Amino acid sequence: GTVLNRYWDDSATPREESYREDVATASKLSRPKEETYRNLRAAAESGWDFSSRWFADGRTLATIRTVDLIPVDLNSLLYQLELTLSRAYEGTSAEKTSEFRKRAATRRAAVQRYLWNEKLQSFTDYLWREGRAVDEVTAAAASPLFFGLANDEQAAGVANAVRANLLKAHGLVSTPIDTGEQWDAPNGWAPLQWIAIEGLRRYRQTELA
């Protein structure tokens, strides 16, 4: 009965801006081309285009499965949006204020239930078709800290996971895997640095921040 969100695109066609590349990627696979196109589009929608985060084998674009994942960063952002809407309705609609406050609380509970990875002591994405967490720490793990969904113990776990897997000489890599894709090692992206720094500070992980 809980709703969590995923990246998605209604179109199952090659992207207009990368038509030739998408056709080439889909031609390498035995699965329906429409599935590949939709997953490529969904990954582009995420902003993380492209990353091993979306790859079934963790290495190659041809195995992309974006729509099979419940992303921790997207649901953290939507939690914040629901809180923002609840505040926006204060003074104009008690019903809407209550509705969005309840939505945020329900989403937070779902993030805690499905996106906290006990094994890795970090927040990770969730493979909803398979009913299991992804066994990889990415920079998206800091999003629940930035938006205040974590508890102190979880924040300490994320800090340890980030330090062990992502911290490099000049900041955080997006993922620990070097695939040649731009949202993988050795690359780091400014919004992810900011989210991690502010999220860690929020939970008094100041040395790592």
Side-chain angles (χ1 to χ4, degrees):
T2 298
V3 174
L4 288 168
N5 293 80
R6 58 178 170 162
Y7 293 114
W8 176 262
D9 196 297
D10 285 339
S11 297
T13 59
R15 293 170 295 152
E16 290 78 6
E17 71 276 16
S18 301
Y19 190 93
R20 182 177 63 180
E21 292 88 343
D22 289 358
V23 169
T25 299
S27 68
K28 300 174 184 176
L29 305 171
S30 58
R31 71 178 179 182
K33 289 181 172 58
E34 291 77 13
E35 289 184 19
T36 302
Y37 297 145
R38 191 185 303 283
N39 279 284
L40 289 167
R41 283 177 170 272
E45 178 70 17
S46 77
W48 286 55
D49 50 326
F50 290 105
S51 170
S52 59
R53 181 183 180 190
W54 312 126
F55 304 162
D57 68 356
R59 291 286 173 184
T60 52
L61 182 62
T63 65
I64 193 165
R65 58 175 179 182
T66 317
V67 302
D68 293 343
L69 292 158
I70 300 296
V72 63
D73 47 358
L74 174 63
N75 284 281
S76 298
L77 180 62
L78 290 174
Y79 165 79
Q80 179 63 36
L81 178 59
E82 287 160 344
L83 286 182
T84 300
L85 288 170
S86 73
R87 290 194 295 270
Y89 276 113
E90 288 176 1
T92 60
S93 173
E95 180 182 353
K96 287 291 187 181
T97 298
S98 176
E99 175 191 343
F100 282 103
R101 189 175 293 131
K102 288 177 181 175
R103 285 192 188 189
T106 299
R107 189 181 297 275
R108 180 174 184 168
V111 167
Q112 291 282 347
R113 179 179 178 183
Y114 292 107
L115 305 183
W116 174 251
N117 189 318
E118 193 68 31
K119 175 185 171 184
L120 299 183
Q121 287 293 292
S122 181
F123 289 99
T124 63
D125 299 330
Y126 186 82
L127 286 159
W128 63 272
R129 295 182 193 275
E130 300 177 25
R132 66 177 180 87
V134 174
D135 286 329
E136 182 190 5
V137 176
T138 74
S143 294
L145 279 62
F146 183 82
F147 292 113
L149 281 83
N151 58 42
D152 288 342
E153 184 178 348
Q154 288 169 335
V158 170
N160 289 334
V162 164
R163 184 183 288 107
N165 295 281
L166 305 176
L167 184 63
K168 303 298 178 183
H170 302 289
L172 301 183
V173 291
S174 303
T175 78
I177 301 172
D178 185 351
T179 62
E181 300 292 348
Q182 63 177 355
W183 286 79
D184 281 321
N187 296 335
W189 290 81
L192 299 182
Q193 313 303 313
W194 177 58
I195 286 170
I197 290 166
E198 293 303 314
L200 291 163
R201 282 178 177 164
R202 182 171 190 158
Y203 287 87
R204 299 173 300 282
Q205 297 289 333
T206 52
E207 182 183 355
L208 179 57

